[in-house]
Amino acid sequence: YKKAVLLLEDSEERRSPRVLVVRLDRIGDLLLTLPVFGAIRGRFPDARVTALVRPHGRIIAERCEAVDESLAYDYAKGGAHASLKGYWRLVQEIRRRRFDIAFVVHPSLRSHLLCFLAGIPVRIGYRTNGAFFLTQSIPDRRREGLQHESRNALDVLAAVGIEGGNDRSEFRVFPEDEARAAELLTRRGLDGNKPYTVLHTGSSSASQQWPEEHFAALARLLALRVELLTAVAIGVKPPSDPGASRSRRRATEPPVHPTAGQGALHSVWA
């Protein structure tokens, strides 16, 4: 514990701490957390930075320049860590890595307890949902909606003096990503040499759905002012209502090319 604290205070000679960042919710939330990894890398250029995410989040973490390794916590029904035996196996896997510091940017009892049982000496997160397993916590004001989620996540780092993060993060684009992107464009009859804007118009939460007419207005503005073709991704999966896709296409004047369910997320940003 003292060694980890000295690292944060710049009083320890070793500048290559082992850092774990925990984010166990949706892909969109993980994307908004990527600046955290960059801020950690900025403070500790030689750190070993690991992301603990849900299985579907590894595709994001592995393409973040500031992440050295990603681990999957599969606690869904029937998942690798759903049973007590599987859970303890993960605890031991994390313990073997001998992390110095854990930043829990998505507060949950399972996240806090996991870091505690893994013996990580410094555990920092929000003061909610089992925060007594943390060594340091900050008030959880995310629901107040006063700032962007990426800034909320960076506040966890700021609690121990790690500043300098911004709202951007660098991605790796692998050759297989580019190949899948080219295949997707070809399948839709689109020119791979032209620029496109991708609108993700779906959400897993009804409370976070933006009205269709707003997306239509945004598509028109992009076509008129930015002069970009528009590719629209309707949700993470194809809509259950086949008419939903068609209605959104009719609501926009510029060319709209639905791509939901036709390409993995990493092929979109390629």
Side-chain angles (χ1 to χ4, degrees):
Y1 174 81
K2 290 182 179 179
K3 195 171 189 178
V5 170
L6 288 173
L7 278 167
L8 292 170
E9 294 177 348
D10 288 329
S11 302
E12 170 64 38
E13 291 184 1
R14 185 166 70 92
R15 290 293 180 268
S16 54
R18 293 176 288 267
V19 182
L20 180 68
V21 178
V22 184
R23 183 97 214 196
L24 299 177
D25 47 351
R26 300 179 180 94
I27 284 180
D29 298 296
L30 176 59
L31 283 168
L32 299 180
T33 303
L34 293 182
V36 164
F37 298 104
I40 294 170
R41 181 67 66 203
R43 173 67 179 275
F44 300 112
D46 297 322
R48 174 74 176 177
V49 181
T50 300
L52 179 65
V53 297
R54 300 285 295 280
H56 57 254
R58 295 190 72 179
I59 198 171
I60 303 295
E62 290 170 353
R63 286 165 173 76
C64 178
E65 290 281 4
V67 174
D68 296 299
E69 178 189 29
S70 66
L71 297 175
Y73 181 7
D74 187 6
Y75 55 81
K77 185 176 181 180
H81 309 117
S83 67
L84 183 59
K85 182 179 179 180
Y87 178 78
W88 189 246
R89 188 168 58 246
L90 179 62
V91 169
Q92 294 300 105
E93 184 177 357
I94 295 173
R95 181 182 287 272
R96 282 193 297 270
R97 283 168 169 77
R98 298 175 61 84
F99 289 108
D100 298 297
I101 308 162
F103 293 104
V104 184
V105 293
H106 174 239
S108 68
L109 178 59
R110 61 164 48 94
S111 300
H112 296 159
L113 178 61
L114 184 66
C115 294
F116 172 78
L117 293 175
I120 302 175
V122 175
R123 306 175 299 279
I124 304 159
Y126 293 105
R127 197 171 301 138
T128 183
N129 295 334
F132 45 82
F133 288 117
L134 301 174
T135 58
Q136 188 169 341
S137 61
I138 65 171
D140 185 4
R141 297 197 173 96
R142 294 170 302 146
R143 294 186 181 277
E144 296 176 9
L146 300 178
Q147 60 183 7
H148 195 270
E149 175 61 19
S150 62
R151 300 307 309 178
N152 290 330
L154 287 166
D155 282 349
V156 177
L157 305 188
V160 289
I162 299 181
E163 304 282 358
N166 54 41
D167 293 333
R168 300 179 63 86
S169 188
E170 298 297 324
F171 270 106
R172 302 181 183 98
V173 177
F174 298 148
E176 57 265 32
D177 300 337
E178 295 179 336
R180 294 189 69 168
E183 179 187 356
L184 174 62
L185 292 174
T186 299
R187 195 162 59 242
R188 299 297 304 176
L190 301 175
D191 186 346
N193 295 316
K194 292 183 178 180
Y196 295 90
T197 299
V198 178
L199 303 178
H200 190 290
T201 63
S203 171
S204 58
S205 173
S207 63
Q208 297 174 359
Q209 291 280 7
W210 209 32
E212 293 180 8
E213 59 271 20
H214 292 187
F215 278 110
L218 177 59
R220 286 192 292 269
L221 285 173
L222 288 169
L224 295 174
R225 298 186 183 182
V226 188
E227 297 183 354
L228 292 178
L229 297 177
T230 304
V232 179
I234 310 270
V236 179
K237 298 178 180 179
S240 56
D241 176 11
S245 174
R246 290 192 295 271
S247 66
R248 295 191 190 195
R249 294 177 67 183
R250 286 195 299 267
T252 60
E253 294 174 2
V256 174
H257 307 278
T259 61
Q262 300 176 30
L265 182 60
H266 46 295
S267 65
V268 174
W269 66 61

